[in-house]
């Protein structure tokens, strides 16, 4: 019995240790998403996660500038796109214009996102993504958001449905940023 308990303890410790991940450098990513399911055998994948819908307004016209996301301290890049991530078919994944100057995010923005001075077109033709050090030099707008709202657990909403949410004053949405005095 003691031998079995020792084996189970070692197996548990090995399993826990193998679950740790190391991040040596940030890799380009299209959006911040849940990690891919890496189950094996007969394991079932977890329930599908729906990315939240983000509606936002900026202090200026940054619609065509490439966003990246910083950590909470604003000193380290945690997410940025590969040049190939900026297109959806023939078009760029720029935000969708909504009523009242609001925009629908299509890049995976967070309250820690900032805008670079790269346009989507300029960035998309780069042969490789810039280094994180180079991207830090290209940050143009560090506090770009006047307002940001999250609609959790939604699938695809139509532009009309999103505009109705805006007209309702974002009823039922989580407010991430709200600086009404600064909106244009």
């Amino acid at each position: 019995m003691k031998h079995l308990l020792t084996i189970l303890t070692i197996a548990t410790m090995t399993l826990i240790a193998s679950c740790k991940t190391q991040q040596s450098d940030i890799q380009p990513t299209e959006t911040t998403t849940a990690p891919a399911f890496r189950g094996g055998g007969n394991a079932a994948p977890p329930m599908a996660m729906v990315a939240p819908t983000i509606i936002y307004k900026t202090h200026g016209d940054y619609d065509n500038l490439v966003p990246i996301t910083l950590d909470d301290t604003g000193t380290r890049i945690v997410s940025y796109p590969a040049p190939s991530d900026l297109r959806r078919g023939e078009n760029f994944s720029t935000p969708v214009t909504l009523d009242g100057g609001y925009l629908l995010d299509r890049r995976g923005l967070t309250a820690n996102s900032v805008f670079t001075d790269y346009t989507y077109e300029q960035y998309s033709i780069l042969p490789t993504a810039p280094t994180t050090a180079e991207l830090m030099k290209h940050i143009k707008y560090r506090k770009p958001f006047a307002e940001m709202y999250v609609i959790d657990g939604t699938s695809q909403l139509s532009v009309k449905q999103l505009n109705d949410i805006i007209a309702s004053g974002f009823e039922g949405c989580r407010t991430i940023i709200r600086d009404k005095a600064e909106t244009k």
Side-chain angles (χ1 to χ4, degrees):
M1 182 71 168
K2 214 177 204 185
H3 185 7
L4 180 59
L5 184 57
T6 303
I7 290 173
L8 286 174
T9 302
I10 291 170
T12 302
M13 296 301 282
T14 303
L15 181 61
I16 290 170
S18 70
C19 290
K20 291 184 179 180
T21 60
Q22 291 188 0
Q23 186 173 0
S24 60
D25 197 10
I26 304 299
Q27 298 298 315
T29 179
E30 180 172 347
T31 58
T32 304
T33 59
F37 177 67
R38 289 177 171 52
N42 294 328
M47 288 179 43
M49 294 184 67
V50 178
T53 300
I54 308 289
I55 298 175
Y56 66 99
K57 187 182 276 192
T58 58
H59 293 296
D61 185 11
Y62 317 139
D63 300 11
N64 197 37
L65 297 180
V66 175
I68 61 175
T69 301
L70 305 177
D71 65 3
D72 288 338
T73 67
T75 59
R76 188 172 151 266
I77 296 172
V78 296
S79 177
Y80 64 97
S84 60
D85 289 340
L86 298 182
R87 288 192 180 271
R88 289 191 178 189
E90 294 297 313
N91 300 314
F92 290 113
S93 57
T94 55
V96 175
T97 302
L98 301 171
D99 288 349
Y102 288 96
L103 301 165
L104 170 64
D105 171 45
R106 298 192 321 158
R107 297 286 328 134
L109 298 178
T110 73
N112 293 334
S113 294
V114 297
F115 289 91
T116 65
D117 58 6
Y118 289 108
T119 66
Y120 276 72
E121 186 173 354
Q122 290 168 334
Y123 195 91
S124 71
I125 60 174
L126 294 174
T128 60
T131 64
T132 55
E134 187 66 24
L135 280 170
M136 290 296 281
K137 293 177 190 174
H138 282 270
I139 294 173
K140 186 168 184 174
Y141 301 103
R142 284 192 167 269
K143 299 285 184 190
F145 302 108
E147 297 176 58
M148 183 180 282
Y149 304 93
V150 176
I151 307 167
D152 288 312
T154 59
S155 56
Q156 296 282 339
L157 295 174
S158 70
V159 169
K160 182 191 178 327
Q161 290 171 310
L162 294 169
N163 286 331
D164 289 345
I165 290 169
I166 293 167
S168 78
F170 295 95
E171 189 175 309
C173 298
R174 279 190 300 129
T175 301
I176 304 302
I177 299 170
R178 186 178 177 114
D179 183 7
K180 279 291 211 183
E182 297 294 324
T183 59
K184 70 173 202 175

